[in-house]
Amino acid sequence: MFLGITNTPRDYAWGSVTAIPELLGRTVTGAPQAELWLGAHPGSPSVVVNPAMVGGADTLLDWIDAEPQTALGADRTGLPFLLKVLAAAAPLSLQAHPTPEQAREGFEREERAGVPIDDPARNYKDPFPKPELVVALSERFEALSGFRPVDQTLAEVAVLDAGSGRLGPLTVHLQHGLEDTVRWLETADSSAGAIVQAVSDLALALPDDALTPNLATVRDLTTSYPGDPGIVVSLLMHRVTLAAGEAMYLPAGNVHAYLDGLGIELMAPSDNVLRGGLTPKHVDVPELLRVLDFTAYPAPVLTPEPVDAGVERFAPDGVGFALLRVSGDGRPVGLGTGGVAPLVGPSIAICTAGAVTLVGAESATLLRQGESCYITPDEGDVTVEADGGSGIASTVFIATGA
């Protein structure tokens, strides 16, 4: 079965006013629209377009709860992913996610302590990890992700300091390593606060032609979040710019913050976020430091694997989900000759450009730009046919198991 689904975008303050409505072909309301959730997460389950197809269930979660074998197949008890359209017009919080072991231990610890599940100060809403990947839809998708080698940060600190001597303490901590530096900044003692102010002052005073991507980020964050330790932590991180179609993967322990852009995000269906700044929300510094991976890695770009004509698969190891991207150039194709998307268990598709027909073992459906559907396992692998002869390029993303 191909079941049409939709949802109402989340109105988080950092969201873009226009990006999601333009993608979905909806009216721009003037309010921010940050995330469109496609899945069965109880926080915002997808709405069923035609409830009569599934016995009157209004949401995907309702149907799965009522008829799990029909919805998911006899061997599956829940969706292993949450698919999102994300549109950032301002920085998201600096954050990291736990490993499976850390999530389970943290959840059980807060359960024993009697912390209400809806308490804003609760860190672990569930006992699961939250690995995630994002593929850029906009021409540029800007983010901070992962720690870079310390020598790169030291070089930019030297440019920023320009002989003033104000950043000497930061240089000393960096020479002791990333963990020492982040711990000092996040504990927010008076010396760390003075460094945040000094970095902010010096970045604002730099001429535009002296700004590197990281120093430009510092200047932007200084304006948005004055006095926040995340301003200086951003100097320790990779400033990542994804072009449309490029992707990155954010594993457990990876410190990151999306800055600007429209993308498709796929993650495990968890709410476990440990924040480190750039937010008015709860920040638990000891817990954040416990889950952070302080290893300096290259920028975490994720390269897709080609699996068929026009079909690419983004699939990090060990996460239990994969994202397929199927692209067509708008030329006519005969039925059955389009790219074949290999699916594992229940899946969700969203068309982000043009129009496509999804052909499964039992039925078929047409998806136009902005439309999405849930795919039951009995459809098997799905052939994706472009809207032949239209001359309009098409793209559909399909979240599935791995």
Side-chain angles (χ1 to χ4, degrees):
M1 178 189 297
F2 294 97
L3 178 67
I5 57 175
T6 186
N7 215 335
T8 300
R10 314 282 279 184
D11 61 352
Y12 306 139
W14 48 263
S16 167
V17 172
T18 59
I20 288 180
E22 289 174 354
L23 178 70
L24 302 181
R26 300 181 183 178
T27 301
V28 175
T29 65
Q33 298 187 33
E35 295 181 348
L36 179 80
W37 291 21
L38 297 172
H41 193 287
S44 182
S46 291
V47 176
V48 175
V49 173
N50 185 359
M53 290 182 63
V54 288
D58 290 324
T59 72
L60 190 56
L61 178 61
D62 292 339
W63 183 44
I64 289 172
D65 284 347
E67 300 184 63
Q69 289 189 341
T70 301
L72 295 167
D75 60 340
R76 302 300 289 266
T77 57
L79 288 177
F81 57 77
L82 175 61
L83 182 64
K84 294 182 180 180
V85 180
L86 181 145
L92 281 68
S93 60
L94 193 67
Q95 59 187 262
H97 308 302
T99 64
E101 297 75 20
Q102 290 167 340
R104 185 168 54 252
E105 186 280 329
F107 179 78
E108 292 172 353
R109 173 165 27 99
E110 293 187 326
E111 286 288 278
R112 289 194 302 270
V115 183
I117 203 74
D118 59 352
D119 188 330
R122 177 152 182 162
N123 295 310
Y124 297 94
K125 312 295 187 183
D126 54 66
F128 306 114
K130 192 186 178 187
E132 56 192 48
L133 64 89
V134 63
V135 182
L137 292 181
S138 50
E139 185 176 336
R140 295 163 64 92
F141 188 95
E142 306 289 349
L144 296 164
S145 183
F147 291 113
R148 57 181 177 157
V150 169
D151 59 347
Q152 295 179 16
T153 300
L154 284 169
E156 289 197 310
V157 168
V159 170
L160 192 60
D161 199 19
S164 75
R166 295 181 67 185
L167 303 186
L170 176 58
T171 298
V172 170
H173 278 281
L174 283 168
Q175 290 167 345
H176 285 92
L178 287 166
E179 183 170 0
D180 177 82
T181 305
V182 174
R183 189 175 298 275
W184 169 61
L185 291 169
E186 290 287 349
T187 53
D189 68 13
S190 58
S191 63
I195 285 295
V196 173
Q197 187 61 56
V199 166
S200 300
D201 293 344
L202 293 167
L204 290 173
L206 274 180
D208 290 348
D209 60 5
L211 291 174
T212 64
N214 276 80
L215 293 177
T217 302
V218 167
R219 179 185 285 186
D220 291 343
L221 296 178
T222 293
T223 302
S224 301
Y225 295 96
D228 194 293
I231 294 168
V232 184
V233 175
S234 75
L235 266 178
L236 316 183
M237 299 170 63
H238 291 286
R239 178 67 154 78
V240 180
T241 299
L242 300 177
E246 293 182 334
M248 65 179 180
Y249 169 56
L250 309 172
N254 170 280
V255 59
H256 60 277
Y258 298 147
L259 303 175
D260 184 73
L262 176 68
I264 293 290
E265 188 178 33
L266 183 62
M267 64 182 64
S270 170
D271 272 343
N272 292 327
V273 179
L274 287 306
R275 297 178 179 86
L278 311 181
T279 179
K281 295 183 178 180
H282 174 64
V283 174
D284 185 332
V285 170
E287 198 64 24
L288 172 71
L289 295 172
R290 194 174 76 88
V291 307
L292 278 180
D293 181 353
F294 292 99
T295 308
Y297 291 113
V301 175
L302 179 63
T303 302
E305 167 198 6
V307 295
D308 197 15
V311 183
E312 297 173 298
R313 183 173 182 263
F314 300 90
D317 291 337
V319 299
F321 56 73
L323 184 65
L324 301 170
R325 177 175 59 202
V326 188
S327 304
D329 59 10
R331 292 181 297 178
V333 292
L335 188 64
T337 62
V340 177
L343 305 187
V344 178
S347 305
I348 289 178
I350 180 170
C351 182
T352 59
V356 296
T357 298
L358 306 182
V359 183
E362 302 293 330
S363 58
T365 193
L366 172 67
L367 285 186
R368 300 177 182 86
Q369 180 174 337
E371 296 179 338
S372 53
C373 69
Y374 175 84
I375 308 169
T376 54
D378 58 350
E379 295 293 351
D381 293 346
V382 168
T383 299
V384 181
E385 298 288 353
D387 183 12
S390 68
I392 300 174
S394 62
T395 304
V396 62
F397 288 89
I398 307 177
T400 190

